[in-house]
């Protein structure tokens, strides 16, 4: 039995060794194939990433037209001196608003910023420079030719931002030539200056509108009063009724003195008791004549509608109205000058901090950024391809 068992086992052990060796060989082949497939996939992924980077760089070198940037900086200031804040530092400024010039800088700066981004600014700019040609890569004409296409190109080429701390506007222009960028930026600075000037003039007009209306009304009132006095003098043929009334009063006083003297003389002659006295009739006639003259003078001074008193009353009313209108005109002019002085302290002006100077080298496209973007795109494509291949292998296994 022992010999039979010992004779049968060696054959069986050889069979197991052969089977095990074949399994190891198959496993080694599978592992090798898996490594080759993994290396191939990695090579494909790397090639895909490299192709994406190369495509992005070639796109920047030969397809995307270069752009040249020109930057301008300016600020809107006011001639009003800064008043000290009631509190201290930034707290007083923010809580009380005690610095009107700084507040004006914020408001006016944002207004200019909005204007430079508007379609109105683009249309005004197009009248100064050949904007469609300067914003076209070929330098001939903008594709589309419509206002919407021009505004889209303008928005892409012009960047306007407002720095709150410095209170300055920064205008960056990216055109397809250095001269085009500089010309557009110079025109935008000029448009901003005109906008600030018009805004300042409009503000002055609005501030002086009430005072100007009052001044015109006072001037018209003074002219009407002077015209009324001149018309009265022409109608009554009397330049100065006050002087004439004074003259009549002096004449009445003189007549009263003469009448008193004549009455005394007449009483003396009459006292002789001689009705045939040669001086009696002349003395009586002199008294009667002086009484008639005195009555006529008094009638002239304070009689009917044509008397000196009536003329003096109407003339005095007109002169009082003229005096009041003249004094009102003088006060209104003083108020207008005061308002003009106060308004002049609030004048706005644009200060150019940096004139636009175009770059010598193109600022875009940025080849490094394009390469980075191409690498990211390639990694996304490689990741998508790996997911696709993984799903295919899973389907085969099932």
């Amino acid at each position: 039995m022992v010999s039979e068992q010992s004779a049968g086992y060696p054959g069986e052990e050889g069979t197991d060794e052969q089977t095990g060796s074949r399994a190891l060989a198959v496993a080694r082949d599978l592992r090798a194939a898996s490594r080759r497939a993994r290396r191939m996939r990695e090579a494909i992924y790397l090639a895909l990433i490299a192709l994406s980077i190369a495509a992005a760089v070639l796109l920047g070198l030969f397809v995307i037209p270069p752009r040249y940037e020109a930057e301008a900086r300016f600020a809107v200031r006011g001639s009003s001196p800064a008043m000290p804040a009631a509190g201290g530092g930034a707290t007083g400024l923010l809580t009380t608003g005690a610095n009107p010039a700084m507040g004006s800088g914020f408001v006016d700066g944002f207004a200019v910023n909005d204007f430079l981004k508007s379609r109105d600014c683009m249309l005004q700019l197009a009248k100064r420079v050949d904007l469609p040609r300067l914003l076209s890569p070929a330098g001939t004409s903008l594709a589309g030719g419509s206002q919407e296409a021009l505004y889209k190109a303008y928005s892409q080429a012009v960047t306007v931002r407002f720095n709150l701390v410095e209170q300055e506007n920064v205008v960056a222009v990216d055109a397809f030539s250095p001269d085009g960028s500089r010309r557009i930026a110079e025109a935008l600075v000029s448009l901003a200056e005109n906008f600030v000037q018009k805004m300042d003039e409009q503000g002055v007009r609005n501030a002086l509108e009430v005072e100007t209306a009052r001044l015109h009304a006072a001037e018209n009132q003074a002219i009407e009063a002077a015209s009324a006095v001149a018309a009265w003098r022409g109608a009554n043929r009397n330049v100065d009724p006050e002087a004439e009334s004074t003259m009549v009063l002096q004449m009445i006083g003189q007549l009263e003195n003469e009448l008193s003297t004549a009455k005394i003389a007449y009483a003396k002659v009459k006292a002789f008791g001689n009705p045939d006295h040669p001086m009696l009739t002349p003395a009586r006639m002199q008294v009667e004549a002086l009484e008639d003259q005195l009555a006529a003078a008094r009638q002239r001074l304070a009689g009917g509608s044509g008397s000196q008193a009536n003329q003096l009353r109407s003339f005095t009313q007109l002169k009082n109205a003229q005096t009041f209108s003249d004094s009102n005109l003088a006060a209104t002019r003083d108020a207008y000058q005061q308002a003009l002085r106060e308004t002049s302290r609030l004048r706005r002006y644009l200060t150019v901090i940096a004139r636009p100077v175009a770059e010598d080298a193109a600022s875009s496209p940025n080849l490094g950024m394009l390469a980075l973007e191409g690498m990211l795109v390639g990694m996304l494509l490689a990741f998508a391809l790996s997911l696709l291949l993984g799903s295919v292998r899973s389907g085969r296994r099932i």
Side-chain angles (χ1 to χ4, degrees), residues 238-364:
N238 191 347
V239 177
D240 192 357
E242 294 180 353
E244 188 170 351
S245 298
T246 302
M247 181 191 67
V248 173
L249 285 174
Q250 291 177 355
M251 184 177 62
I252 290 174
Q254 184 178 0
L255 288 174
E256 287 179 346
N257 291 332
E258 291 179 359
L259 179 60
S260 178
T261 303
K263 283 182 178 181
I264 293 173
Y266 177 66
K268 287 180 179 180
V269 174
K270 193 176 180 180
F272 288 110
N274 185 6
D276 296 327
H277 194 284
M279 296 298 297
L280 181 62
T281 300
R284 179 177 55 79
M285 292 178 62
Q286 184 180 6
V287 170
E288 291 177 353
L290 289 173
E291 287 179 346
D292 292 340
Q293 291 179 6
L294 183 61
R298 288 175 175 172
Q299 181 68 24
R300 179 183 175 184
L301 180 64
S305 59
S307 63
Q308 290 294 323
N310 188 38
Q311 290 183 0
L312 184 61
R313 179 182 62 80
S314 59
F315 181 78
T316 303
Q317 291 177 351
L318 294 177
K319 286 295 291 182
N320 289 338
Q322 185 183 16
T323 303
F324 174 78
S325 61
D326 291 341
S327 61
N328 183 40
L329 177 59
T332 306
R333 282 175 176 171
D334 292 339
Y336 178 80
Q337 292 297 329
Q338 180 66 24
L340 185 61
R341 286 191 294 270
E342 292 178 356
T343 306
S344 63
R345 299 191 186 102
L346 303 176
R347 299 301 292 264
R348 307 173 184 87
Y349 59 92
L350 188 141
T351 302
V352 179
I353 300 174
R355 287 286 178 184
V357 178
E359 297 177 341
D360 295 333
S363 58
S364 66

Side-chain angles (χ1 to χ4, degrees), residues 119-158:
R119 295 175 183 267
D120 183 23
C121 179
M122 180 203 69
L123 295 177
Q124 295 183 31
L125 179 64
K127 295 178 181 179
R128 297 193 173 204
V129 297
D130 191 358
L131 193 60
R133 184 180 63 84
L134 296 178
L135 296 181
S136 174
T140 55
S141 179
L142 192 66
S146 64
Q147 180 179 331
E148 189 64 30
L150 181 61
Y151 182 70
K152 183 178 179 181
Y154 172 80
S155 301
Q156 293 176 351
V158 178

Side-chain angles (χ1 to χ4, degrees), residues 70-253:
E71 184 179 274
R73 293 174 178 264
F74 58 86
V76 181
R77 297 288 184 258
S79 57
S80 175
M83 298 174 60
T91 305
L93 172 63
L94 295 177
T95 56
T96 64
N99 196 334
M102 184 168 290
S104 176
F106 278 119
V107 176
D108 299 334
F110 277 117
V112 175
N113 186 281
D114 292 337
F115 167 72
L116 293 177
K117 296 177 181 178
S118 65
R119 295 175 183 267
D120 183 23
C121 179
M122 180 203 69
L123 295 177
Q124 295 183 31
L125 179 64
K127 295 178 181 179
R128 297 193 173 204
V129 297
D130 191 358
L131 193 60
R133 184 180 63 84
L134 296 178
L135 296 181
S136 174
T140 55
S141 179
L142 192 66
S146 64
Q147 180 179 331
E148 189 64 30
L150 181 61
Y151 182 70
K152 183 178 179 181
Y154 172 80
S155 301
Q156 293 176 351
V158 178
T159 303
V160 185
R161 65 180 185 274
F162 182 73
N163 296 334
L164 293 177
V165 179
E166 298 85 358
Q167 294 188 42
E168 65 179 17
N169 280 284
V170 180
V171 179
V173 179
D174 288 329
F176 298 101
S177 65
D179 182 67
S181 300
R182 182 191 57 79
R183 289 174 58 189
I184 293 175
E186 286 281 359
L188 287 175
V189 172
S190 178
L191 288 175
E193 290 178 345
N194 294 338
F195 177 77
V196 172
Q197 183 179 0
K198 291 180 181 179
M199 184 170 57
D200 180 69
E201 293 175 355
Q202 184 65 35
V204 172
R205 283 197 298 268
N206 294 338
L208 296 179
E209 184 176 359
V210 176
E211 295 298 333
T212 303
R214 290 180 57 189
L215 180 60
H216 289 337
E219 289 176 347
N220 294 332
Q221 186 180 4
I223 292 173
E224 292 175 358
S227 300
V229 172
W232 186 94
R233 286 172 174 170
N236 292 275
R237 297 180 179 179
N238 191 347
V239 177
D240 192 357
E242 294 180 353
E244 188 170 351
S245 298
T246 302
M247 181 191 67
V248 173
L249 285 174
Q250 291 177 355
M251 184 177 62
I252 290 174

